[in-house]
Amino acid sequence: MTTGDQTPESSDVTETTAASNAAAVETSPAQSPAEPTAASATAPTVTEPAAAAGKPAARPTGPLAARGLGVAKPASPSVSPELLKAAGEAQNATIDKPKAKPGAGKKKQHKVKTSGVTGQNTAPKTPRVKVAVPSLRQELPDDIQAELDAELAAADFDAIMSGPAGMPERKEPLEEGQTVHGQVIKIQTDTVFLSLGGPDQGTLAFEQFTGEEPVPGQSIEVVVRGLNSEDGLYALSLPGSTVAVADLGDIDEGAVVTATVTGHNKGGLECKVGGVSGFMPISQITEYRVEDLSEFVDQKMVCLVTEANAGRGNLVLSRRAILEREREVKRKEQLEKMEPGDQMDGVVRTIKDFGAFVDLGGCDGLIHISKLSWDRIKHPSELLEMGQQVSVVVDSVDKETGKISLSYRDLQENPWDTAEAEFAVGTNHKGSVTRIAAFGCFVRLAAGVEGLVHISEMAHHRVSRIDSIVSEGEEVEVKVLSFDRDAQKIGLSIKAAQHVPESEGKKDVEEVDEPPREPVVKATHSGPLKGGNNASAGGEKFGLRW
């Protein structure tokens, strides 16, 4: 049987393999149009004996044949349904298979790196070993458990549960130069570890303890020198401790050193830091003006290095910077604790016309001139002087601005507490005139107690000028007309304390002649006028009767 004799109506049906379906089918140019094309070569073909002569070959029919996706159901009953089903499955597998990309059938060959010796490959990489994740349900290794038990046995359970190492919590972070209290946690070799409250910890050199050695749990006052960003620990030092200095190269700007004053001049103090000579300007000695520099000679001072130039050999120190830094720390602590009504001691630093400024140790407060004494004073220097130790009462405090108002007189007895009983209404008393005004005069009855005599209560007659009746410092007798304790006002009368004259009942009473008033504008010329007196003005020449 030849290839040209194949028709869809053949009785023998053979199923082609997957390899024959993938191969291309070549067709001769003389092939009849009725013969199967290359598209039909991929599907199973059916062969039969040669058809009758002159009879055309039958075309495939059916819906699948119309789309070229399958073989039409043959009309011959000689084809079994099993063979048709197998042919359809093979055809569908061929259609559903995606088109292969060029070169997809080739397997990618991995390049193998070779070593320097030809023909030898590098050893394969060692696979990573997975580490088991620790489980809370499993027990710790013996060595770790033993170390943990030892640490817990040495620790104080009450101290752990009481808070952050027993230190109070802070609202603000630590600042350089701040003085705080720390609790010793442990000591390792030459380093002392301290807890500063909360999560903050610091280290302190063991060599700074020249006296008694610290022990764990001990509370120590330290100064913050900085923060080590690598380990997150603060660098600490004991108050007053400084760095050791051998030459100028050991000193950096900003370092804290101990200086010994060896002399002075008009510009400041001459100092020695180790074996290096330095200078402290007069403005950097203290926070206040210094008059006598000789009192600082042979004294040791903790100073801040503001300039260290080894090339020029300059070393400039400042004690004031250390004092201001410590003062700022004390000021914040003092403001938090200060409340109105607190009694404090201080030193008078400045005296002004309106009051005096007092140094309270960390803060400065103002005593207004009205708060210096219950009595009236003209200037604060009448009661206070520079450098005087005083006791004051906090009148008001503003913690946001830091302004503090003090009172010096509140520690003295308030004379108004007993004045109402002593100066009852209707009683007569003697006092001195302290001040004269246009509306009357003020009379001092006792220390801190004054009353007003109105102009209408000066005399039984009309009074135009107060100074025509009384003068400042004159002692007069007055009568108490009114007393107001809350407002601290007393109404007085001079005429009520005097006897009524006999002519008081007469209607036409002449006012007592007052002394003549002095002219407001005084004459600057004396003697006869240059034009003369009783001389003709020359008006008659013009018909005027002058």
Side-chain angles (χ1 to χ4, degrees):
M1 182 183 293
T2 61
T3 305
D5 295 333
Q6 295 176 359
T7 61
E9 298 178 356
S10 61
S11 59
D12 294 333
V13 179
T14 59
E15 183 180 357
T16 59
T17 60
S20 62
N21 290 337
V25 179
E26 296 181 358
T27 308
S28 62
Q31 185 177 4
S32 172
E35 293 177 353
T37 59
S40 64
T42 59
T45 58
V46 181
T47 60
E48 67 171 342
K55 195 175 183 178
R59 294 175 175 267
T61 59
L64 296 179
R67 292 182 293 175
L69 300 179
V71 179
K73 186 175 181 181
S76 175
S78 60
V79 180
S80 63
E82 291 78 4
L83 294 176
L84 290 176
K85 184 178 180 181
E89 291 178 357
Q91 183 67 21
N92 292 336
T94 306
I95 295 173
D96 295 339
K97 186 177 181 180
K99 295 182 179 180
K101 295 183 180 180
K106 299 180 180 180
K107 293 185 179 181
K108 187 176 180 180
Q109 297 180 354
H110 297 277
K111 296 181 179 180
V112 181
K113 295 183 180 180
T114 58
S115 60
V117 182
T118 306
Q120 294 183 356
N121 296 335
T122 57
K125 295 183 178 179
T126 304
R128 297 181 180 178
V129 179
K130 292 185 178 180
V131 180
V133 179
S135 177
L136 297 176
R137 300 180 180 180
Q138 297 179 356
E139 297 182 357
L140 295 175
D142 296 340
D143 54 346
I144 299 179
Q145 185 66 39
E147 184 178 356
L148 178 60
D149 294 341
E151 291 292 337
L152 292 177
D156 187 2
F157 182 77
D158 295 336
I160 296 175
M161 300 301 296
S162 61
M167 305 297 294
E169 292 285 356
R170 291 186 313 275
K171 298 180 180 179
E172 299 180 356
L174 296 176
E175 298 179 358
E176 185 177 354
Q178 182 176 352
T179 302
V180 296
H181 285 79
Q183 188 174 9
V184 178
I185 302 176
K186 58 182 178 180
I187 302 174
Q188 290 185 353
T189 315
D190 57 350
T191 304
V192 181
F193 290 86
L194 294 94
S195 174
L196 306 178
D200 299 330
Q201 295 183 359
T203 58
L204 181 65
F206 187 82
E207 60 183 7
Q208 295 188 18
F209 294 92
T210 56
E212 185 180 356
E213 296 182 356
V215 294
Q218 180 181 355
S219 180
I220 301 175
E221 184 180 12
V222 293
V223 180
V224 179
R225 296 304 181 189
L227 176 64
N228 190 346
S229 58
E230 295 182 358
D231 51 16
L233 298 176
Y234 284 92
L236 309 174
S237 65
L238 294 178
S241 61
T242 56
V243 298
V245 176
D247 53 19
L248 192 55
D250 297 337
I251 304 176
D252 297 328
E253 292 186 6
V256 180
V257 297
T258 300
T260 304
V261 181
T262 57
H264 67 90
N265 52 43
K266 63 179 182 180
L269 301 177
E270 300 172 358
C271 307
K272 278 281 189 180
V273 181
V276 182
S277 299
F279 180 73
M280 185 185 302
I282 190 172
S283 61
Q284 299 299 317
I285 299 176
T286 62
E287 299 175 286
Y288 308 100
R289 181 180 178 85
V290 178
E291 299 293 343
D292 187 11
L293 297 178
S294 60
E295 61 183 5
F296 297 100
V297 178
D298 297 334
Q299 291 187 10
K300 288 187 177 182
M301 301 179 180
V302 179
C303 308
L304 181 71
V305 178
T306 58
E307 181 182 353
N309 193 325
R312 295 185 297 177
N314 289 348
L315 178 61
V316 182
L317 308 174
S318 174
R319 178 172 174 254
R320 180 175 181 175
I322 299 295
L323 297 177
E324 289 178 349
R325 184 183 297 177
E326 296 176 352
R327 182 182 181 86
E328 182 63 22
V329 176
K330 293 180 180 179
R331 174 180 173 274
K332 293 181 179 179
E333 296 177 354
Q334 200 171 34
L335 276 177
E336 292 179 359
K337 301 177 181 179
M338 189 178 299
E339 297 294 339
D342 294 345
Q343 181 177 346
M344 308 184 71
D345 296 331
V347 181
V348 179
R349 294 299 184 186
T350 309
I351 296 178
K352 301 291 183 181
D353 295 337
F354 53 85
F357 289 94
V358 179
D359 181 11
L360 301 176
C363 306
D364 288 341
L366 172 64
I367 307 176
H368 194 262
I369 188 172
S370 61
K371 297 291 185 178
L372 283 172
S373 175
W374 293 106
D375 203 357
R376 189 182 298 273
I377 59 175
K378 294 182 179 180
H379 197 270
S381 59
E382 297 179 12
L383 297 177
L384 304 177
E385 60 183 7
M386 297 283 292
Q388 179 180 348
Q389 295 279 347
V390 294
S391 296
V392 294
V393 176
V394 179
D395 193 21
S396 63
V397 55
D398 189 345
K399 297 185 179 182
E400 295 182 358
T401 60
K403 294 183 178 180
I404 303 173
S405 177
L406 306 175
S407 176
Y408 182 67
R409 71 179 186 180
D410 287 350
L411 293 177
Q412 306 170 2
E413 183 181 0
N414 189 352
W416 285 92
D417 296 339
T418 59
E420 188 173 4
E422 184 177 356
F423 304 103
V425 177
T427 58
N428 292 352
H429 302 275
K430 289 185 178 181
S432 58
V433 179
T434 57
R435 187 160 56 97
I436 294 177
F439 51 85
C441 66
F442 291 91
V443 178
R444 181 179 181 271
L445 300 177
V449 180
E450 290 185 355
L452 172 64
V453 181
H454 194 263
I455 189 173
S456 61
E457 300 292 338
M458 295 296 298
H460 292 280
H461 58 273
R462 181 183 177 86
V463 178
S464 301
R465 296 181 58 188
I466 303 298
D467 55 1
S468 64
I469 304 298
V470 295
S471 59
E472 289 188 9
E474 181 182 352
E475 186 175 354
V476 295
E477 185 177 358
V478 295
K479 185 177 182 178
V480 179
L481 300 180
S482 62
F483 190 97
D484 190 349
R485 169 65 180 84
D486 297 334
Q488 297 183 359
K489 293 182 179 180
I490 301 177
L492 305 175
S493 175
I494 294 179
K495 73 177 184 180
Q498 300 173 352
H499 296 287
V500 180
E502 297 178 358
S503 60
E504 182 68 20
K506 297 181 180 180
K507 295 182 180 180
D508 299 334
V509 178
E510 296 182 359
E511 185 178 353
V512 178
D513 293 337
E514 297 182 0
R517 301 180 181 180
E518 296 181 359
V520 179
V521 181
K522 297 182 180 180
T524 58
H525 178 75
S526 61
L529 300 176
K530 294 183 178 180
N533 297 328
N534 300 325
S536 176
E540 66 275 1
K541 297 180 180 180
F542 303 96
L544 301 177
R545 296 179 181 180
W546 283 1

